Amino acid sequence: MKSYGHIPKLAVTLTALAAQACCFQAFAQANQLERVEVTGTNIKRISRETESPIDVITAKDIQASGARTALEVMKMIPSIGNDGYSDTATQNGFSRGVATVSLRNQTATSTLVLINGRRMTPSAYANPNNGTTTLYDLNSIPVSAIERIEVLKDGASAVYGSDAMAGVINFITRKDYQGFEVKVLAAANDAGEYKRQTLSATAGFGDFATKGYNIFVGVDYTHKGRSMVGDKTDEDIQAADYRAINLRRNPYGSFLYNNQPWFIRENGAVGSRSFPQTAAVPATNTVNNANCPDAEKIVGETARYGITTNHLLGRTFCNYSLDQFAEMQSPGDDLNLLARGTLKLAETMEGFAEFMYSRSKREYLGAPRTINGLSPSNNFNGTGLAASFQPILEIGHPDNPFTNANARAAVQLRFPSAPGGFDLTNTGTRALVGVRGTAGTDIDWESGLLWNRSDRDEYYYGFLRLPVLRQMLGPAFGGTNRSLASIASDPDLSRPLLNSGSAEVLQWDAKASTTVGKLPGGAIGLAGGVELRREAIDIKPDPENVAGNILGLANTAVKGSRVVKSAFVEVVAPVLKGLELNLAGRVDKYPTLKTNFVPKFGVKWQAADTLALRGSYSEGFRAPSVSQVSPGGAQFFLNNLRDPVRCNTEATPPVPKPGAETADCAKSVAGVGGGNPTLKPENSYNTSLGLLFSPTAGVDFVLGYWKIRKNNEVALTDGQSVIDHPESYPSGSLVRDTNPNLLLNGQAGTGPLLTVSTPWVNQGTTMTSGIDFEARTATTVMDGVRWSNALNGQYTLKYERIEHPGYAKNNLVGTRGGLADWSTSAPDVPRLKMRFTSSFETASHSLTGAMNYVSGLSFIRRMDGTNIPASGNTAAVTPLYYSGTTCHYGGALNDQNLFSRSVLGLAPTATNGRDLYINRYPGCSMAKWVTFDVGYTYRGFKNLTLSVNIQNFTDEKAPYDPLGATQAAAQLGYNTGMHNPFGRYFTVSANYKFW
């Protein structure tokens, strides 16, 4: 980031500390100081300081850091939250392939991303996870074209409108560039994993000042290689702990081997659909083949493999390895192009145009899919649930081994003839044309027309077609008793499925700024403008899926559009010398919503040449996304639900009621979310205070306090709430199995849960506050040698989440929020994040070192803020506060009313190689992570710049994070929001400028 020497007036010192930079050149006479635009205000000013805190990362900073993508740059900023998506191999299917960013842990939907001062369109997804419905994909931004990034760490809805509640990130690309340069970059860690290669070319010609035009073109192409789970990638994570506790890289993968069916005898009368797996069931009720090499055979046991399914214990079977599909980094290619042009139309008017194209391709491995006849599989069509499928072979079926016993058989089988996986392509196209200039002596104006579209094409491979699968059933169920081998070899068993989507923004805007009179401190600045914007989204599932022909694959189908009308005004009033007030307001009109107005007030006081104070108060809003208010929605699965109809939830731990199954106390069911046109906007209240102190030449300090409160947050209805209080939701929100054999005591309405409807609703509040701190020094230590240092950090004081109105609020800083307060879905909230850099620079050499610090997390269960009054036959639920000594992941249960722990690991013996989480981490916490980076750049050759950067120079392993109770959950072996698995990572680059 920029650093400046001591100056007599703090107005320029503030420029350095606030680190604002101009967006475009003002039309001013040569003998006048240039007025510039600053992110967060529409009024140009001679000095670049404002009332709000801003960080600036320059192209030079990016080069020195070794960051290769826009996301990596963002992760070096302490105010960036850890609740965004990082484009990882295991990212959920609703956001696969995107990289997002959030400020202050306020979710990606509360952080507005701009390119050259104008918003970018969200990617074509309709993610049903809270806080992620609006995904601004950083993969579409070409790093080589970035001149600087301005991060406004304050609410800015009064200037930019919806989504800017936590702040704004403005990617500003090069302008008025002349020359031609090419850059090549290669990167990998010390084991040769996580490879990445980039080729960039940048060209520009035309001097705007003398020739009246400039054209700039930049192209980036990046390829990243595949890295698999294995010995090499294990070197930089706590692999031994994951293996012992989570069974990561468990030798056992799956009992469903290629084309090796399992058969389980139906219990009781024919048609009962009961296939119990308890220890009391005779082993002869299960039949399997073990036709595989001896090296791939195992005997099922709990201690070694974590196997708990009774019909596998003590049985020899073929083991199917899933590690062959376990990726640490998926391969991909990114292509980004940016072209910008400016043309002088008159002495005080210029035209400008901008074109961007991006294409991001990803490939993901996937195991061949399976069928399981132990219970019905939920299936979906375009309107909701399709007919379920339960592969049960009738008496007389050619593959049924129990025909002679007059019994049906459930079948379990993997189909290697239908290999799995996903291929994803995200493309983006952005075009902007506009005119700007100066009217009279001091009226700056600008108008532009923007079109921005993103498209997503995602192919799904290996999903099984129900019309073929159903042929194995008997005629009474629409089948023909077709043999399993015949079905497995049928070319129509699986076809590639294409799920596609598009999102689009079409915007016209106009604005102007000027001065209108004077106050004792100087001229009054005035700005105003209007925007007219059309937003649209269209998500289309494959027609086969819409028809309900695909086993177990949910649909996401949304189509909608809206027109948004906005107007804004801003005043800067220097009421006294050294005292400046800033007032801003914006009006937005969304369809179905009443007109929304948000204000902002700021003050800046230069108390002395070396001291300044600043502060701001603003209100913000986020309109529900188009996907949240349009017809359609996402279908998904809800996990770990407790069904009070079939589970005794008052027992410790909960146990199934007579006739129910253990799964009823940790149920997985289909969820159906949908648009809600009655949603209201989220709103926010932001406060910031700052002190800026420059006591001597080359020494600057910044200390700031910030607070954000968001109300009326939009979230999917909690599935557990619908189950616990069905009387509070529309009829039909719960769907249960009506099979008489599965009812409890034959009572209607007691069958197993099948689906839960969870529409979008306004609920909950989040409040967070903290301290920003910054210190910078710069000095010349000897002739031609510049030494500069910078410390930038964020210390979070509070993070409180009220999931539903009336729930208790609790401070969750330093914890995994959703564990510390069981009633919330709060993210991980580290208390302290900071980065310190030190650099020496001469004409030919630059040497930079950096320290990165992120504090750890506690996994102690501290409270449950649920607060629900009694209704009907339901008893009241009140907040619970625990002793603070019970670990979620293991150890003693010191609070008897605390449920749903995920006890990880298994007590070690001499042979099993297992261990309990609490044995290795008795403090029940994740450690802090401290890493060091080193970078060197050489410019001694004419037109050639050579750089090498080593991130995590000391090769510190990512801390252990329990992550989850399953092997799949621990596949990556690190916390994707706070850490990375790269270890010591090398980046080398060469940049040659031809002219």
Side-chain angles (χ1 to χ4, degrees):
M1 296 184 188
K2 293 184 178 179
S3 182
Y4 297 78
H6 181 67
I7 42 182
K9 293 292 183 181
L10 195 65
V12 184
T13 300
L14 285 171
T15 303
L17 297 173
Q20 285 104 3
C22 63
C23 288
F24 59 79
Q25 181 176 349
F27 293 95
Q29 296 183 15
N31 61 348
Q32 292 180 322
L33 291 175
E34 180 186 17
R35 292 181 297 152
V36 297
E37 272 197 358
V38 179
T39 298
T41 178
N42 287 300
I43 296 179
K44 294 181 180 181
R45 51 187 72 195
I46 293 175
S47 60
R48 296 171 180 167
E49 78 282 1
T50 69
E51 297 76 19
S52 298
I54 298 181
D55 285 340
V56 166
I57 303 92
T58 66
K60 183 178 178 181
D61 297 327
I62 297 172
Q63 173 76 20
S65 72
R68 297 159 297 279
T69 66
L71 177 65
E72 290 183 4
V73 177
M74 292 292 97
K75 288 202 169 189
M76 295 182 180
I77 303 173
S79 58
I80 296 298
N82 47 272
D83 55 349
Y85 288 121
S86 299
D87 191 9
T88 59
T90 60
Q91 207 154 285
N92 71 64
F94 296 107
S95 61
R96 199 168 11 239
V98 302
T100 64
V101 64
S102 80
L103 282 162
R104 313 290 199 197
N105 261 349
Q106 290 292 298
T107 76
T109 60
S110 297
T111 300
L112 180 62
V113 179
L114 308 176
I115 298 176
N116 294 323
R118 288 179 169 86
R119 65 173 61 221
M120 61 187 294
T121 185
S123 294
Y125 294 80
N127 195 319
N129 295 288
N130 295 342
T132 58
T133 55
T134 304
L135 301 175
Y136 298 108
D137 187 10
L138 301 186
N139 289 328
S140 64
I141 297 174
V143 174
S144 68
I146 295 174
E147 178 180 285
R148 66 189 179 278
I149 306 168
E150 298 183 355
V151 181
L152 174 64
K153 302 182 295 185
D154 198 7
S157 288
V159 178
Y160 297 110
S162 180
D163 301 349
M165 293 193 295
V168 175
I169 300 172
N170 189 8
F171 290 88
I172 300 171
T173 59
R174 294 185 183 185
K175 61 168 186 173
D176 204 17
Y177 173 82
Q178 299 172 63
F180 175 56
E181 59 186 280
V182 174
K183 179 179 180 179
V184 293
L185 178 150
N189 73 358
D190 52 8
E193 296 290 344
Y194 307 106
K195 293 179 181 178
R196 186 184 295 266
Q197 302 90 33
T198 297
L199 174 65
S200 303
T202 305
F205 57 92
D207 186 334
F208 184 83
T210 60
K211 296 184 178 180
Y213 74 92
N214 179 261
I215 297 175
F216 162 80
V217 179
V219 179
D220 283 4
Y221 172 75
T222 297
H223 171 76
K224 66 174 184 176
R226 172 174 280 134
S227 286
M228 300 294 295
V229 168
D231 292 341
K232 287 186 176 181
T233 52
D234 277 358
E235 295 175 2
D236 300 304
I237 62 173
Q238 306 295 335
D241 289 344
Y242 282 110
R243 188 187 298 260
I245 300 170
N246 302 77
L247 269 179
R248 183 179 180 273
R249 298 189 66 187
N250 183 1
Y252 165 64
S254 170
F255 66 93
L256 293 180
Y257 194 83
N258 287 337
N259 290 323
Q260 299 282 313
W262 287 64
F263 304 98
I264 299 89
R265 179 175 173 170
E266 187 174 33
N267 188 51
V270 174
S272 68
R273 287 197 293 166
S274 176
F275 303 93
Q277 302 295 299
T278 63
V281 176
T284 55
N285 275 23
T286 298
V287 174
N288 73 293
N289 296 319
N291 299 326
C292 60
D294 289 344
E296 297 181 11
K297 295 177 182 178
I298 65 172
V299 178
E301 60 175 290
T302 299
R304 183 177 180 187
Y305 301 120
I307 296 172
T308 58
T309 305
N310 281 293
H311 78 295
L312 300 182
L313 295 175
R315 184 182 295 269
T316 299
F317 57 87
C318 295
N319 174 40
Y320 188 79
S321 172
L322 296 176
D323 278 350
Q324 61 186 305
F325 307 104
E327 299 173 282
M328 294 293 289
Q329 176 174 284
S330 300
D333 297 278
D334 292 332
L335 174 66
N336 292 287
L337 179 146
L338 169 68
R340 295 187 69 188
T342 53
L343 176 66
K344 191 172 184 179
L345 302 175
E347 186 62 30
T348 59
M349 183 170 62
E350 69 178 59
F352 59 91
E354 177 180 300
F355 177 80
M356 290 182 66
Y357 174 80
S358 65
R359 187 195 67 196
S360 177
K361 301 186 70 174
R362 299 290 184 268
E363 298 176 6
Y364 303 91
L365 296 176
R369 303 192 73 81
T370 63
I371 58 173
N372 185 349
L374 296 184
S375 60
S377 296
N378 288 322
N379 303 305
F380 298 90
N381 57 30
T383 58
L385 277 183
S388 63
F389 174 70
Q390 187 169 4
I392 300 174
L393 306 185
E394 297 297 320
I395 298 168
H397 188 284
D399 295 307
N400 183 358
F402 304 115
T403 290
N404 292 337
N406 200 38
R408 300 195 305 173
V411 63
Q412 299 171 308
L413 179 62
R414 184 181 302 277
F415 293 93
S417 59
F422 306 89
D423 284 350
L424 168 70
T425 301
N426 276 317
T427 58
T429 309
R430 179 182 174 96
L432 169 69
V433 293
V435 182
R436 59 183 166 227
T438 300
T441 58
D442 63 353
I443 301 177
D444 298 314
W445 58 271
E446 177 177 331
S447 182
L449 180 65
L450 169 70
W451 175 74
N452 196 181
R453 178 184 171 101
S454 64
D455 291 276
R456 175 177 57 89
D457 288 330
E458 186 168 10
Y459 284 93
Y460 289 46
Y461 300 104
F463 282 85
L464 306 176
R465 299 184 66 247
L466 288 166
V468 177
L469 290 177
R470 293 191 193 278
Q471 294 176 31
M472 71 176 67
L473 306 179
F477 299 95
T480 61
N481 284 324
R482 187 179 180 184
S483 71
L484 298 178
S486 173
I487 288 175
S489 62
D490 192 325
D492 283 335
L493 176 62
S494 180
R495 303 171 184 169
L497 304 174
L498 174 60
N499 289 290
S500 61
S502 65
E504 187 175 281
V505 167
L506 178 63
Q507 173 181 301
W508 171 77
D509 58 67
K511 63 180 180 180
S513 64
T514 187
T515 57
V516 288
K518 287 189 176 182
L519 291 172
I524 300 171
L526 175 65
V530 294
E531 285 183 11
L532 183 65
R533 183 172 71 251
R534 182 182 184 272
E535 304 171 343
I537 190 168
D538 188 3
I539 308 294
K540 298 177 181 178
D542 192 278
E544 279 280 279
N545 212 20
V546 175
N549 289 338
I550 306 302
L551 176 67
L553 180 60
N555 286 283
T556 298
V558 179
K559 184 173 184 178
S561 64
R562 66 187 178 196
V563 174
V564 184
K565 303 172 184 177
S566 309
F568 51 89
V569 65
E570 183 178 359
V571 177
V572 172
V575 292
L576 297 172
K577 186 177 181 181
L579 180 63
E580 181 178 278
L581 302 182
N582 178 278
L583 301 172
R586 181 178 174 113
V587 174
D588 291 89
K589 182 65 179 76
Y590 284 76
T592 74
L593 301 177
K594 68 178 183 179
T595 301
N596 192 83
F597 171 75
V598 287
K600 182 169 185 176
F601 170 80
V603 59
K604 178 187 64 183
W605 178 39
Q606 184 174 319
D609 286 349
T610 59
L611 177 67
L613 304 174
R614 68 184 178 200
S616 68
Y617 168 81
S618 64
E619 297 179 11
F621 81 104
R622 186 189 80 85
S625 66
V626 179
S627 64
Q628 291 175 324
V629 296
S630 298
Q635 302 162 339
F636 42 83
F637 290 95
L638 298 169
N639 301 311
N640 296 317
L641 299 175
R642 298 189 305 274
D643 181 1
V645 171
R646 299 174 60 86
C647 175
N648 182 4
T649 58
E650 296 182 2
T652 306
V655 295
K657 293 180 179 180
E661 299 284 343
T662 302
D664 292 311
C665 294
K667 190 73 173 176
S668 294
V669 302
V672 181
N676 181 354
T678 66
L679 284 176
K680 299 177 181 178
E682 299 177 359
N683 52 69
S684 67
Y685 304 90
N686 299 54
T687 304
S688 71
L689 299 171
L691 179 149
L692 304 97
F693 183 48
S694 181
T696 187
V699 179
D700 305 314
F701 298 99
V702 180
L703 189 65
Y705 168 81
W706 50 269
K707 178 180 179 181
I708 305 171
R709 180 183 177 90
K710 288 198 306 182
N711 295 331
N712 233 18
E713 291 178 291
V714 176
L716 277 182
T717 304
D718 178 50
Q720 189 64 58
S721 296
V722 179
I723 295 170
D724 291 341
H725 303 279
E727 72 282 355
S728 301
Y729 297 90
S731 175
S733 295
L734 294 182
V735 177
R736 294 182 178 274
D737 197 324
T738 57
N739 179 3
N741 296 304
L742 301 179
L743 301 180
L744 302 185
N745 298 319
Q747 184 178 353
T750 62
L753 277 171
L754 295 179
T755 65
V756 180
S757 295
T758 58
W760 294 104
V761 294
N762 290 103
Q763 65 175 47
T765 296
T766 299
M767 193 284 286
T768 184
S769 64
I771 300 293
D772 288 335
F773 55 91
E774 232 179 302
R776 299 181 180 278
T777 66
T779 186
T780 301
V781 294
M782 62 181 68
D783 188 29
V785 180
R786 183 78 168 171
W787 179 32
S788 58
N789 301 279
L791 173 67
N792 191 0
Q794 174 179 293
Y795 186 89
T796 303
L797 297 172
K798 283 187 178 182
Y799 188 100
E800 297 173 344
R801 168 73 61 82
I802 302 172
E803 202 70 27
H804 297 273
Y807 279 22
K809 65 178 181 179
N810 300 289
N811 190 4
L812 306 177
V813 172
T815 75
R816 174 152 291 162
L819 297 186
D821 184 347
W822 193 247
S823 70
T824 78
S825 58
D828 297 342
V829 189
R831 186 175 296 277
L832 176 62
K833 295 175 69 176
M834 62 181 177
R835 178 175 169 88
F836 172 76
T837 60
S838 183
S839 63
F840 291 88
E841 185 170 3
T842 69
S844 299
H845 305 269
S846 295
L847 177 64
T848 300
M851 180 205 73
N852 308 285
Y853 177 94
V854 58
S855 57
L857 299 172
S858 169
F859 304 128
I860 294 291
R861 293 282 295 276
R862 302 183 185 279
M863 70 283 291
D864 184 337
T866 305
N867 187 22
I868 303 175
S871 61
N873 296 323
T874 305
V877 178
T878 58
L880 299 173
Y881 291 89
Y882 305 129
S883 64
T885 59
T886 297
C887 177
H888 178 73
Y889 294 114
L893 178 62
N894 299 319
D895 300 276
Q896 295 306 308
N897 55 358
L898 187 154
F899 305 123
S900 303
R901 289 200 303 163
S902 296
V903 177
L904 294 184
L906 191 70
T909 69
T911 59
N912 68 6
R914 301 293 304 279
D915 205 352
L916 292 165
Y917 168 79
I918 204 66
N919 288 347
R920 298 197 175 203
Y921 294 90
C924 194
S925 63
M926 183 171 68
K928 66 180 182 295
W929 199 38
V930 184
T931 60
F932 298 89
D933 307 333
V934 177
Y936 172 72
T937 298
Y938 180 69
R939 297 178 293 272
F941 300 116
K942 184 179 180 181
N943 297 332
L944 178 64
T945 301
L946 302 174
S947 297
V948 59
N949 182 277
I950 308 174
Q951 293 176 318
N952 194 358
F953 181 79
T954 56
D955 205 17
E956 297 296 324
K957 294 184 178 182
Y960 174 82
D961 184 337
L963 297 172
T966 66
Q967 180 185 359
Q971 174 178 316
L972 295 182
Y974 68 99
N975 184 304
T976 59
M978 297 171 60
H979 313 130
N980 68 65
F982 302 148
R984 185 183 293 114
Y985 197 87
F986 296 85
T987 302
V988 295
S989 66
N991 189 96
Y992 187 79
K993 188 164 185 177
F994 291 87
W995 70 77

